[in-house]
Amino acid sequence: MAASSTPVPLPRRPPATAPEVVDCEGRWITPGLVDCHTHIVYGGNRAHEFELRLAGASYEEIRARAGGGIVSTMQATRAASEDELVASALPRVDALLREGVTTMEVKSGYGLDGPK
């Protein structure tokens, strides 16, 4: 994995090094799946909310009555240590790799701040 905060310019057209060049008419060909928006790092578990939804509860009911929803995930994520978050995220990453994902962008989505 690699990260960069500096945009890297790409060449307009790579030099033809293959014996045959196929014009894909602007399409992107990649040898693996690219997941460009994952929320793989989070604390807590909201599986019980899925059961409530199956039973007919609305998201607002779950949030108000059961203290669930995104707020519960935010609280669990903020309460977890960095080691706990990494330990819970790695099996999710491994599952995506087994499914053919070769590149992923990871977001927390929970408004977390790093060390100051």
Side-chain angles (χ1 to χ4, degrees):
M1 289 188 215
S4 173
S5 61
T6 306
V8 178
L10 299 175
R12 280 192 139 300
R13 180 178 174 90
T17 56
E20 179 183 357
V21 176
V22 177
D23 182 356
C24 295
E25 300 176 3
R27 293 178 182 92
W28 183 8
I29 306 299
T30 180
L33 301 174
V34 176
D35 190 334
C36 62
H37 190 104
T38 62
H39 290 270
I40 245 157
V41 178
Y42 58 87
N45 180 327
R46 291 170 49 193
H48 67 284
E49 293 180 23
F50 184 69
E51 293 175 11
L52 293 172
R53 292 297 301 263
L54 289 175
S58 71
Y59 180 80
E60 286 303 317
E61 290 171 324
I62 291 169
R63 199 173 125 230
R65 182 178 46 161
I70 191 71
V71 173
S72 67
T73 304
M74 288 172 60
Q75 291 169 342
T77 301
R78 289 176 176 160
S81 71
E82 183 175 341
D83 288 343
E84 290 170 325
L85 292 172
V86 169
S88 67
L90 287 178
R92 298 179 196 123
V93 170
D94 289 340
L96 288 173
L97 292 172
R98 283 191 305 274
E99 294 172 358
V101 173
T102 60
T103 307
M104 66 186 78
E105 176 188 25
V106 178
K107 302 172 177 294
S108 78
Y110 301 113
L112 302 176
D113 292 327
K116 299 200 185 229

XYZ file of all heavy atoms in Angstrom:
860
model
N 0.838 -1.163 0.000
C 0.000 0.000 0.000
C 0.891 1.236 0.000
O 1.982 1.214 0.549
C -0.893 0.019 1.213
C -1.986 -1.004 1.206
S -3.087 -0.692 2.584
C -3.499 -2.348 2.993
N 0.374 2.286 -0.578
C 1.112 3.539 -0.608
C 0.144 4.697 -0.458
O -1.016 4.580 -0.801
C 1.877 3.661 -1.916
N 0.637 5.786 0.070
C -0.193 6.980 0.224
C 0.600 8.180 -0.242
O 1.820 8.232 -0.091
C -0.602 7.152 1.673
N -0.096 9.138 -0.828
C 0.562 10.355 -1.266
C -0.422 11.503 -1.159
O -1.573 11.375 -1.541
C 1.030 10.218 -2.717
O 1.522 11.457 -3.176
N 0.043 12.600 -0.612
C -0.810 13.787 -0.562
C -0.506 14.715 -1.721
O -1.141 15.748 -1.877
C -0.616 14.513 0.770
O 0.732 14.917 0.890
N 0.472 14.348 -2.535
C 0.860 15.153 -3.681
C 0.384 14.479 -4.961
O 0.691 13.308 -5.195
C 2.399 15.301 -3.747
O 2.853 15.811 -2.496
C 2.819 16.224 -4.870
N -0.387 15.158 -5.790
C -0.831 14.549 -7.045
C 0.368 14.175 -7.920
O 1.349 14.909 -7.983
C -1.667 15.637 -7.717
C -1.985 16.617 -6.632
C -0.885 16.503 -5.614
N 0.271 13.039 -8.550
C 1.340 12.568 -9.427
C 0.816 12.622 -10.857
O -0.154 11.947 -11.192
C 1.746 11.124 -9.065
C 2.828 10.620 -10.006
C 2.202 11.057 -7.620
N 1.431 13.445 -11.717
C 0.944 13.521 -13.100
C 1.229 12.212 -13.842
O 2.291 11.622 -13.686
C 1.737 14.681 -13.705
C 2.935 14.813 -12.836
C 2.560 14.309 -11.473
N 0.260 11.759 -14.596
C 0.416 10.553 -15.395
C 0.671 10.940 -16.846
O 0.168 11.953 -17.322
C -0.843 9.691 -15.294
C -1.192 9.201 -13.890
C -2.525 8.468 -13.901
C -0.097 8.301 -13.349
N 1.435 10.132 -17.554
C 1.667 10.454 -18.969
C 0.369 10.330 -19.761
O -0.517 9.552 -19.403
C 2.682 9.395 -19.406
C 2.534 8.289 -18.424
C 2.071 8.909 -17.130
N 0.257 11.118 -20.805
C -0.952 11.068 -21.638
C -1.127 9.690 -22.252
O -2.180 9.151 -22.284
C -0.885 12.123 -22.730
C -1.262 13.509 -22.241
C -1.456 14.411 -23.457
N -2.541 15.317 -23.420
C -3.842 15.057 -23.306
N -4.257 13.871 -23.134
N -4.729 16.004 -23.332
N -0.073 9.132 -22.786
C -0.165 7.816 -23.409
C 1.148 7.081 -23.136
O 2.204 7.581 -23.470
C -0.388 7.950 -24.911
C -0.504 6.638 -25.636
C -0.784 6.905 -27.140
N -0.771 5.694 -27.890
C -1.836 4.924 -28.106
N -2.995 5.280 -27.626
N -1.743 3.821 -28.805
N 1.063 5.907 -22.532
C 2.307 5.179 -22.263
C 2.958 4.716 -23.560
O 2.270 4.514 -24.570
C 1.826 3.984 -21.431
C 0.387 3.839 -21.751
C -0.124 5.209 -22.100
N 4.254 4.564 -23.524
C 4.926 4.086 -24.739
C 4.472 2.662 -25.061
O 4.229 1.861 -24.168
C 6.410 4.136 -24.366
C 6.445 4.141 -22.872
C 5.168 4.785 -22.415
N 4.318 2.390 -26.324
C 3.883 1.062 -26.759
C 5.040 0.085 -26.600
O 6.038 0.171 -27.307
C 3.410 1.112 -28.203
N 4.926 -0.809 -25.621
C 5.972 -1.804 -25.397
C 5.476 -3.205 -25.716
O 6.264 -4.123 -25.799
C 6.460 -1.762 -23.943
O 5.348 -1.952 -23.075
C 7.124 -0.434 -23.627
N 4.188 -3.367 -25.867
C 3.614 -4.683 -26.174
C 3.639 -4.910 -27.679
O 3.638 -3.958 -28.460
C 2.183 -4.750 -25.652
N 3.638 -6.171 -28.092
C 3.623 -6.453 -29.528
C 2.330 -5.984 -30.190
O 2.295 -5.725 -31.386
C 3.771 -7.973 -29.620
C 3.572 -8.498 -28.250
C 3.737 -7.373 -27.282
N 1.267 -5.844 -29.392
C -0.014 -5.390 -29.937
C -0.619 -4.370 -28.988
O -0.611 -4.556 -27.771
C -0.984 -6.580 -30.079
C -2.343 -6.198 -30.614
C -3.306 -7.393 -30.675
O -2.895 -8.514 -30.352
O -4.459 -7.153 -31.024
N -1.123 -3.275 -29.513
C -1.782 -2.255 -28.719
C -3.253 -2.271 -29.088
O -3.616 -2.211 -30.264
C -1.182 -0.852 -28.980
C -1.959 0.207 -28.216
C 0.285 -0.834 -28.589
N -4.118 -2.361 -28.066
C -5.561 -2.393 -28.288
C -6.136 -1.063 -27.824
O -5.943 -0.658 -26.669
C -6.216 -3.561 -27.506
C -7.717 -3.539 -27.674
C -5.622 -4.890 -27.943
N -6.838 -0.371 -28.701
C -7.485 0.892 -28.350
C -8.785 0.567 -27.620
O -9.729 0.049 -28.198
C -7.774 1.712 -29.609
C -8.397 3.061 -29.273
O -8.672 3.326 -28.084
O -8.601 3.842 -30.217
N -8.840 0.862 -26.332
C -10.020 0.558 -25.521
C -10.988 1.733 -25.478
O -11.904 1.758 -24.651
C -9.595 0.155 -24.116
S -8.665 -1.379 -24.084
N -10.779 2.697 -26.337
C -11.690 3.835 -26.498
C -11.987 4.542 -25.176
O -13.125 4.825 -24.838
C -12.980 3.382 -27.176
C -12.739 2.786 -28.556
C -14.009 2.238 -29.205
O -15.100 2.359 -28.606
O -13.878 1.685 -30.303
N -10.940 4.843 -24.410
C -11.115 5.614 -23.179
C -11.471 4.794 -21.958
O -11.619 5.344 -20.873
N -11.613 3.494 -22.095
C -11.943 2.659 -20.939
C -10.675 2.369 -20.138
O -9.583 2.367 -20.661
C -12.572 1.353 -21.402
C -13.927 1.564 -22.031
C -14.478 0.229 -22.517
N -15.756 0.393 -23.161
C -15.915 0.590 -24.463
N -14.883 0.646 -25.272
N -17.118 0.726 -24.964
N -10.863 2.097 -18.862
C -9.749 1.787 -17.989
C -9.690 0.282 -17.799
O -10.657 -0.338 -17.363
C -9.946 2.480 -16.650
C -8.826 2.302 -15.677
C -7.615 1.735 -15.899
C -8.814 2.707 -14.315
N -6.852 1.765 -14.776
C -7.567 2.352 -13.774
C -9.741 3.331 -13.496
C -7.217 2.605 -12.460
C -9.394 3.585 -12.196
C -8.142 3.231 -11.676
N -8.558 -0.307 -18.085
C -8.353 -1.732 -17.909
C -7.420 -1.919 -16.713
O -6.353 -1.316 -16.647
C -7.721 -2.378 -19.165
C -8.536 -2.057 -20.411
C -7.548 -3.872 -18.980
C -9.961 -2.564 -20.384
N -7.816 -2.747 -15.778
C -7.005 -2.969 -14.584
C -6.973 -4.469 -14.270
O -7.979 -5.159 -14.489
C -7.557 -2.153 -13.393
O -6.744 -2.386 -12.254
C -8.983 -2.509 -13.061
N -5.855 -4.975 -13.789
C -5.764 -6.411 -13.525
C -6.497 -6.859 -12.263
O -6.636 -8.038 -12.016
C -4.256 -6.643 -13.373
C -3.726 -5.335 -12.931
C -4.595 -4.297 -13.574
N -6.958 -5.928 -11.448
C -7.664 -6.280 -10.223
C -8.755 -5.280 -9.950
O -8.864 -4.249 -10.613
N -9.586 -5.589 -9.001
C -10.676 -4.682 -8.623
C -10.121 -3.536 -7.776
O -9.249 -3.735 -6.946
C -11.729 -5.441 -7.826
C -12.382 -6.622 -8.533
C -13.304 -7.366 -7.585
C -13.129 -6.152 -9.761
N -10.646 -2.350 -7.998
C -10.250 -1.168 -7.242
C -11.457 -0.713 -6.430
O -12.506 -0.409 -6.986
C -9.784 -0.027 -8.182
C -9.461 1.226 -7.380
C -8.592 -0.479 -9.011
N -11.326 -0.713 -5.115
C -12.391 -0.231 -4.239
C -11.995 1.167 -3.802
O -11.117 1.348 -2.963
C -12.560 -1.150 -3.038
C -13.808 -0.841 -2.237
O -14.272 0.320 -2.287
O -14.331 -1.738 -1.573
N -12.630 2.161 -4.414
C -12.195 3.544 -4.201
C -12.922 4.244 -3.060
O -12.756 5.438 -2.869
C -12.349 4.332 -5.499
S -14.044 4.430 -6.059
N -13.717 3.503 -2.279
C -14.422 4.160 -1.181
C -14.796 3.114 -0.125
O -15.913 2.607 -0.110
C -15.692 4.861 -1.707
C -16.327 5.743 -0.696
N -16.210 7.110 -0.736
C -17.070 5.476 0.387
C -16.879 7.640 0.277
N -17.406 6.651 0.979
N -13.854 2.773 0.735
C -14.147 1.799 1.782
C -14.180 2.483 3.139
O -13.469 3.443 3.382
C -13.084 0.679 1.840
O -11.827 1.267 2.142
C -12.998 -0.082 0.555
N -15.036 1.979 3.999
C -15.074 2.396 5.405
C -14.714 1.148 6.202
O -15.555 0.535 6.839
C -16.457 2.925 5.790
C -16.773 4.228 5.162
N -16.461 5.431 5.750
C -17.354 4.535 3.984
C -16.842 6.429 4.961
N -17.384 5.906 3.887
N -13.465 0.774 6.145
C -13.004 -0.488 6.711
C -12.571 -0.351 8.158
O -12.546 -1.311 8.889
C -11.887 -1.036 5.801
C -12.393 -2.273 5.214
C -10.594 -1.267 6.469
C -12.014 -2.893 4.090
N -12.230 0.866 8.571
C -11.754 1.100 9.930
C -12.892 1.704 10.745
O -13.305 2.830 10.508
C -10.528 2.054 9.929
C -10.065 2.332 11.353
C -9.406 1.485 9.085
N -13.385 0.910 11.683
C -14.450 1.406 12.568
C -14.512 0.518 13.798
O -14.081 -0.633 13.785
C -15.819 1.437 11.872
C -16.274 0.100 11.341
C -16.972 -0.788 12.137
C -16.008 -0.263 10.035
C -17.382 -2.015 11.648
C -16.419 -1.479 9.529
C -17.108 -2.346 10.345
O -17.501 -3.569 9.861
N -15.046 1.067 14.854
C -15.240 0.310 16.080
C -16.695 -0.097 16.202
O -17.579 0.453 15.569
N -16.921 -1.077 17.037
C -18.287 -1.512 17.313
C -18.834 -2.462 16.264
O -18.158 -2.847 15.320
N -20.089 -2.817 16.475
C -20.774 -3.761 15.613
C -22.260 -3.404 15.632
O -22.851 -3.290 16.703
C -20.554 -5.178 16.155
C -21.222 -6.227 15.325
O -22.283 -6.007 14.733
N -20.615 -7.389 15.275
N -22.836 -3.229 14.469
C -24.252 -2.852 14.404
C -25.120 -3.969 13.837
O -26.185 -3.722 13.278
C -24.393 -1.573 13.579
C -23.797 -0.375 14.320
C -23.672 0.871 13.503
N -24.853 1.261 12.781
C -24.868 2.174 11.819
N -23.763 2.789 11.481
N -25.977 2.476 11.189
N -24.682 -5.220 13.991
C -25.442 -6.358 13.465
C -26.846 -6.408 14.066
O -27.810 -6.744 13.368
C -24.695 -7.661 13.723
N -26.964 -6.065 15.344
C -28.295 -6.091 15.975
C -29.254 -5.095 15.314
O -30.460 -5.318 15.277
C -28.179 -5.812 17.477
C -27.730 -4.424 17.788
N -26.414 -4.015 17.649
C -28.420 -3.332 18.204
C -26.315 -2.740 17.971
N -27.511 -2.295 18.313
N -28.716 -4.021 14.753
C -29.566 -3.049 14.062
C -30.163 -3.649 12.787
O -31.284 -3.319 12.414
C -28.783 -1.788 13.730
C -28.370 -1.014 14.953
C -27.593 0.235 14.599
O -27.718 0.742 13.461
O -26.856 0.719 15.474
N -29.409 -4.512 12.141
C -29.926 -5.177 10.935
C -31.139 -6.024 11.305
O -32.141 -6.023 10.596
C -28.817 -6.041 10.309
C -29.222 -6.686 9.031
C -29.428 -5.931 7.882
C -29.404 -8.059 8.965
C -29.819 -6.528 6.688
C -29.793 -8.659 7.782
C -29.995 -7.898 6.644
N -31.062 -6.718 12.432
C -32.209 -7.514 12.892
C -33.412 -6.617 13.170
O -34.547 -6.966 12.830
C -31.828 -8.303 14.137
C -30.791 -9.376 13.874
C -30.333 -10.072 15.142
O -30.954 -9.875 16.210
O -29.342 -10.811 15.057
N -33.175 -5.467 13.795
C -34.274 -4.525 14.060
C -34.887 -4.028 12.754
O -36.111 -3.897 12.646
C -33.776 -3.347 14.897
C -33.344 -3.662 16.332
C -32.699 -2.438 16.983
C -34.525 -4.152 17.147
N -34.044 -3.744 11.757
C -34.561 -3.294 10.456
C -35.412 -4.377 9.809
O -36.459 -4.091 9.220
C -33.417 -2.896 9.513
C -32.654 -1.651 9.901
C -33.502 -0.387 9.911
N -34.117 -0.055 8.660
C -33.664 0.800 7.755
N -32.555 1.430 7.984
N -34.326 1.037 6.660
N -34.950 -5.627 9.904
C -35.726 -6.743 9.352
C -37.075 -6.875 10.046
O -38.054 -7.321 9.437
C -34.947 -8.051 9.468
C -33.746 -8.196 8.543
C -32.986 -9.486 8.850
C -34.171 -8.183 7.082
N -37.120 -6.484 11.322
C -38.366 -6.544 12.076
C -39.251 -5.329 11.818
O -40.336 -5.215 12.388
C -38.065 -6.670 13.568
N -38.787 -4.395 10.966
C -39.619 -3.262 10.582
C -39.268 -1.934 11.217
O -39.925 -0.929 10.944
N -38.251 -1.886 12.062
C -37.886 -0.624 12.701
C -37.239 0.315 11.681
O -36.493 -0.122 10.813
C -36.920 -0.879 13.851
N -37.543 1.592 11.783
C -36.908 2.581 10.908
C -35.550 2.958 11.506
O -35.264 2.699 12.671
C -37.771 3.841 10.810
O -37.742 4.552 12.043
N -34.727 3.590 10.677
C -33.423 4.042 11.148
C -33.601 5.008 12.322
O -32.884 4.933 13.313
C -32.647 4.711 10.005
C -31.285 5.193 10.426
C -30.210 4.313 10.513
C -31.073 6.529 10.755
C -28.958 4.745 10.918
C -29.822 6.968 11.155
C -28.770 6.071 11.235
O -27.536 6.506 11.631
N -34.560 5.909 12.209
C -34.796 6.875 13.294
C -35.208 6.170 14.584
O -34.789 6.572 15.667
C -35.858 7.902 12.874
C -35.342 8.912 11.876
C -34.127 9.680 12.380
O -34.097 10.104 13.553
O -33.169 9.835 11.601
N -36.032 5.129 14.478
C -36.421 4.378 15.683
C -35.207 3.699 16.311
O -35.057 3.706 17.531
C -37.475 3.325 15.336
C -38.819 3.901 14.988
C -39.782 2.857 14.449
O -39.336 1.932 13.733
O -40.981 2.978 14.748
N -34.371 3.135 15.487
C -33.170 2.457 15.989
C -32.268 3.461 16.687
O -31.755 3.205 17.776
C -32.420 1.754 14.840
C -33.256 0.572 14.336
C -31.031 1.305 15.276
C -32.748 -0.040 13.051
N -32.118 4.612 16.083
C -31.249 5.638 16.665
C -31.826 6.168 17.984
O -31.113 6.298 18.974
C -31.082 6.779 15.668
C -29.884 7.617 15.985
C -29.622 8.639 14.903
N -29.591 9.911 15.581
C -30.253 10.976 15.224
N -30.992 10.977 14.157
N -30.168 12.079 15.902
N -33.102 6.453 17.992
C -33.722 7.054 19.171
C -33.960 6.032 20.283
O -33.649 6.285 21.447
C -35.046 7.713 18.780
N -34.514 4.886 19.919
C -34.918 3.904 20.918
C -33.761 3.027 21.377
O -33.619 2.754 22.558
C -36.038 3.028 20.341
C -36.590 1.994 21.287
C -37.703 1.215 20.673
N -37.333 0.799 19.316
C -37.912 -0.161 18.646
N -38.910 -0.794 19.179
N -37.533 -0.487 17.440
N -32.935 2.595 20.450
C -31.895 1.630 20.789
C -30.508 2.262 20.901
O -29.541 1.559 21.146
C -31.889 0.515 19.740
N -30.423 3.583 20.698
C -29.124 4.243 20.783
C -28.166 3.813 19.692
O -26.961 3.857 19.858
N -28.721 3.409 18.566
C -27.893 2.887 17.484
C -27.621 3.918 16.418
O -27.654 5.119 16.651
N -27.366 3.422 15.220
C -27.083 4.288 14.088
C -25.641 4.734 14.058
O -24.788 4.246 14.797
N -25.375 5.676 13.207
C -24.015 6.152 12.985
C -23.389 6.714 14.257
O -22.183 6.599 14.473
C -23.978 7.184 11.828
C -22.544 7.482 11.418
C -24.704 8.457 12.208
C -21.859 6.361 10.705
N -24.198 7.285 15.126
C -23.654 7.853 16.368
C -23.017 6.769 17.224
O -21.942 6.966 17.798
C -24.751 8.618 17.150
C -24.245 9.056 18.509
C -25.235 9.813 16.344
N -23.639 5.587 17.285
C -23.052 4.506 18.086
C -21.724 4.053 17.486
O -20.782 3.734 18.215
C -24.020 3.329 18.210
O -24.213 2.691 16.963
N -21.630 4.037 16.159
C -20.376 3.653 15.517
C -19.313 4.715 15.766
O -18.146 4.389 16.021
C -20.572 3.450 14.006
O -21.596 2.485 13.810
C -19.302 2.984 13.344
N -19.685 5.977 15.706
C -18.731 7.049 15.984
C -18.184 6.925 17.407
O -16.976 7.028 17.624
C -19.392 8.418 15.793
C -19.661 8.767 14.356
S -20.642 10.276 14.150
C -19.611 11.492 14.927
N -19.071 6.679 18.349
C -18.635 6.570 19.744
C -17.703 5.369 19.927
O -16.677 5.468 20.596
C -19.844 6.464 20.669
C -20.631 7.753 20.740
C -21.979 7.596 21.441
O -22.496 6.496 21.590
N -22.545 8.719 21.852
N -18.063 4.229 19.332
C -17.238 3.024 19.466
C -15.877 3.217 18.790
O -14.854 2.760 19.298
C -17.969 1.825 18.874
N -15.869 3.906 17.658
C -14.618 4.147 16.937
C -13.719 5.073 17.741
O -12.521 4.832 17.883
C -14.903 4.735 15.543
O -15.723 3.813 14.828
C -13.622 4.976 14.768
N -14.288 6.113 18.281
C -13.497 7.059 19.072
C -12.994 6.441 20.362
O -11.929 6.806 20.861
C -14.318 8.309 19.365
C -14.521 9.146 18.132
C -15.396 10.336 18.372
N -15.473 11.150 17.159
C -16.420 12.014 16.921
N -17.374 12.221 17.797
N -16.419 12.700 15.800
N -13.739 5.478 20.921
C -13.338 4.837 22.172
C -12.271 3.763 21.954
O -11.546 3.415 22.886
C -14.559 4.213 22.854
N -12.151 3.251 20.748
C -11.197 2.176 20.467
C -9.780 2.729 20.322
O -9.587 3.848 19.861
C -11.607 1.452 19.179
N -8.824 1.918 20.693
C -7.426 2.305 20.511
C -7.038 2.079 19.049
O -7.727 1.371 18.304
C -6.513 1.456 21.404
O -6.468 0.114 20.912
N -5.923 2.670 18.653
C -5.438 2.464 17.291
C -5.164 0.977 17.036
O -5.509 0.445 15.981
C -4.184 3.290 17.036
C -3.679 3.172 15.605
C -2.501 4.087 15.315
O -2.275 5.057 16.064
O -1.799 3.814 14.326
N -4.579 0.299 18.012
C -4.308 -1.134 17.864
C -5.596 -1.931 17.672
O -5.650 -2.861 16.860
C -3.543 -1.671 19.074
C -2.093 -1.210 19.114
O -1.565 -0.753 18.069
O -1.478 -1.309 20.198
N -6.633 -1.588 18.426
C -7.925 -2.282 18.288
C -8.528 -2.033 16.907
O -9.062 -2.951 16.281
C -8.904 -1.813 19.370
C -8.536 -2.276 20.755
C -9.363 -1.600 21.841
O -9.704 -0.402 21.701
O -9.652 -2.276 22.835
N -8.437 -0.799 16.428
C -8.984 -0.485 15.107
C -8.236 -1.239 14.009
O -8.858 -1.786 13.093
C -8.938 1.022 14.860
C -9.877 1.853 15.730
C -9.605 3.338 15.535
C -11.332 1.524 15.447
N -6.922 -1.293 14.102
C -6.128 -2.025 13.106
C -6.476 -3.510 13.162
O -6.699 -4.147 12.130
C -4.614 -1.794 13.322
C -3.782 -2.756 12.485
C -4.250 -0.354 12.994
N -6.543 -4.066 14.362
C -6.842 -5.495 14.516
C -8.216 -5.857 13.948
O -8.385 -6.931 13.368
C -6.757 -5.894 15.993
N -9.183 -4.967 14.091
C -10.521 -5.273 13.561
C -10.603 -5.013 12.053
O -11.393 -5.646 11.354
C -11.598 -4.472 14.302
O -11.484 -3.091 14.036
N -9.769 -4.106 11.539
C -9.812 -3.784 10.109
C -9.096 -4.823 9.250
O -9.517 -5.087 8.115
C -9.206 -2.404 9.861
N -8.019 -5.407 9.758
C -7.225 -6.326 8.937
C -8.014 -7.520 8.389
O -7.867 -7.858 7.213
C -5.984 -6.778 9.700
C -4.903 -5.703 9.845
C -3.724 -6.216 10.670
C -4.440 -5.183 8.496
N -8.888 -8.165 9.167
C -9.681 -9.253 8.580
C -10.613 -8.767 7.456
O -10.861 -9.489 6.492
C -10.492 -9.801 9.757
C -9.721 -9.398 10.968
C -9.059 -8.083 10.618
N -11.089 -7.546 7.556
C -11.932 -6.990 6.489
C -11.103 -6.769 5.226
O -11.566 -7.032 4.109
C -12.569 -5.678 6.951
C -13.489 -5.844 8.142
C -14.080 -4.500 8.594
N -14.634 -4.653 9.920
C -14.288 -3.934 10.978
N -13.405 -2.956 10.863
N -14.818 -4.168 12.141
N -9.883 -6.266 5.404
C -8.980 -6.081 4.266
C -8.676 -7.435 3.637
O -8.733 -7.594 2.412
C -7.673 -5.372 4.705
C -6.638 -5.398 3.589
C -7.965 -3.943 5.138
N -8.376 -8.429 4.469
C -8.078 -9.771 3.959
C -9.251 -10.333 3.153
O -9.052 -10.965 2.119
C -7.730 -10.718 5.108
C -6.376 -10.417 5.731
O -5.540 -9.751 5.072
O -6.159 -10.829 6.883
N -10.473 -10.098 3.624
C -11.653 -10.591 2.897
C -11.754 -9.935 1.520
O -12.053 -10.614 0.526
C -12.923 -10.323 3.711
N -11.500 -8.634 1.447
C -11.546 -7.954 0.151
C -10.453 -8.468 -0.780
O -10.678 -8.651 -1.978
C -11.425 -6.442 0.331
C -12.656 -5.758 0.918
C -12.357 -4.288 1.217
C -13.843 -5.870 -0.002
N -9.265 -8.703 -0.238
C -8.176 -9.245 -1.052
C -8.552 -10.614 -1.621
O -8.301 -10.900 -2.791
C -6.887 -9.344 -0.232
C -6.244 -8.021 0.170
C -5.088 -8.263 1.136
C -5.783 -7.248 -1.052
N -9.183 -11.459 -0.794
C -9.615 -12.781 -1.269
C -10.652 -12.671 -2.383
O -10.778 -13.551 -3.220
C -10.186 -13.603 -0.113
C -9.130 -14.199 0.793
C -9.712 -15.222 1.765
N -10.797 -14.712 2.578
C -10.640 -14.066 3.727
N -9.428 -13.847 4.206
N -11.677 -13.646 4.411
N -11.409 -11.577 -2.384
C -12.443 -11.374 -3.403
C -11.906 -10.693 -4.660
O -12.662 -10.409 -5.580
C -13.598 -10.567 -2.812
C -14.340 -11.340 -1.729
C -15.369 -10.510 -1.001
O -15.510 -9.307 -1.298
O -16.036 -11.064 -0.105
N -10.602 -10.403 -4.711
C -10.008 -9.860 -5.919
C -9.700 -8.383 -5.897
O -9.240 -7.824 -6.885
N -9.944 -7.721 -4.774
C -9.593 -6.302 -4.675
C -8.077 -6.201 -4.543
O -7.475 -6.883 -3.719
C -10.300 -5.637 -3.472
C -9.808 -4.219 -3.261
C -11.811 -5.652 -3.672
N -7.473 -5.383 -5.377
C -6.017 -5.199 -5.324
C -5.635 -3.822 -4.816
O -4.503 -3.608 -4.396
C -5.394 -5.384 -6.723
O -5.951 -4.410 -7.607
C -5.638 -6.773 -7.258
N -6.562 -2.873 -4.866
C -6.289 -1.493 -4.471
C -7.508 -0.957 -3.739
O -8.633 -1.148 -4.197
C -6.015 -0.625 -5.714
O -4.985 -1.240 -6.482
C -5.613 0.783 -5.325
N -7.281 -0.286 -2.607
C -8.413 0.302 -1.896
C -8.015 1.616 -1.258
O -6.877 1.799 -0.840
C -8.981 -0.665 -0.868
C -8.073 -1.002 0.272
S -8.746 -2.275 1.364
C -8.415 -3.737 0.401
N -8.958 2.523 -1.244
C -8.810 3.774 -0.507
C -9.618 3.600 0.768
O -10.771 3.185 0.721
C -9.364 4.944 -1.314
C -9.311 6.243 -0.546
C -10.037 7.376 -1.238
O -10.952 7.118 -2.026
O -9.683 8.530 -0.970
N -9.017 3.879 1.896
C -9.676 3.646 3.182
C -10.058 4.978 3.805
O -9.241 5.891 3.903
C -8.755 2.847 4.125
C -9.418 2.649 5.480
C -8.403 1.504 3.500
N -11.307 5.083 4.221
C -11.822 6.279 4.887
C -12.371 5.863 6.246
O -12.854 4.756 6.394
C -12.965 6.888 4.079
C -12.589 7.254 2.665
C -13.842 7.653 1.901
C -13.514 8.099 0.523
N -12.748 9.311 0.423
N -12.329 6.756 7.204
C -12.996 6.437 8.464
C -14.420 6.966 8.417
O -15.342 6.301 8.838
C -12.240 7.011 9.657
O -12.497 8.391 9.781
N -14.577 8.192 7.930
C -15.917 8.757 7.866
C -16.491 9.156 9.210
O -17.661 9.465 9.323
N -15.679 9.109 10.245
C -16.209 9.380 11.576
C -15.627 10.637 12.209
O -15.666 10.806 13.418
C -15.986 8.167 12.485
C -16.663 6.938 11.924
C -15.934 5.862 11.472
C -18.036 6.891 11.812
C -16.545 4.760 10.936
C -18.667 5.799 11.267
C -17.917 4.734 10.839
O -18.544 3.651 10.287
N -15.076 11.519 11.402
C -14.575 12.789 11.905
C -13.500 12.643 12.953
O -13.466 13.396 13.909
N -12.633 11.661 12.784
C -11.599 11.423 13.783
C -10.404 12.332 13.549
O -10.049 12.642 12.429
C -11.143 9.963 13.721
C -12.238 8.930 13.930
C -11.685 7.542 13.746
C -12.858 9.076 15.300
N -9.775 12.716 14.627
C -8.554 13.515 14.562
C -7.402 12.626 15.005
O -7.549 11.822 15.936
C -8.625 14.722 15.490
C -9.660 15.731 15.022
O -9.833 15.853 13.807
O -10.268 16.383 15.886
N -6.263 12.790 14.373
C -5.068 12.061 14.770
C -4.421 12.744 15.955
O -4.932 13.737 16.491
N -3.267 12.230 16.368
C -2.547 12.849 17.489
C -2.202 14.301 17.183
O -1.927 14.646 16.052
C -1.268 12.011 17.607
C -1.520 10.780 16.795
C -2.584 11.101 15.804
N -2.229 15.121 18.194
C -1.943 16.552 18.018
C -0.597 16.885 18.576
O -0.072 16.306 19.423
C -3.032 17.385 18.660
C -4.348 17.078 18.004
C -5.332 18.173 18.244
C -6.645 17.717 17.666
N -7.368 18.450 16.885
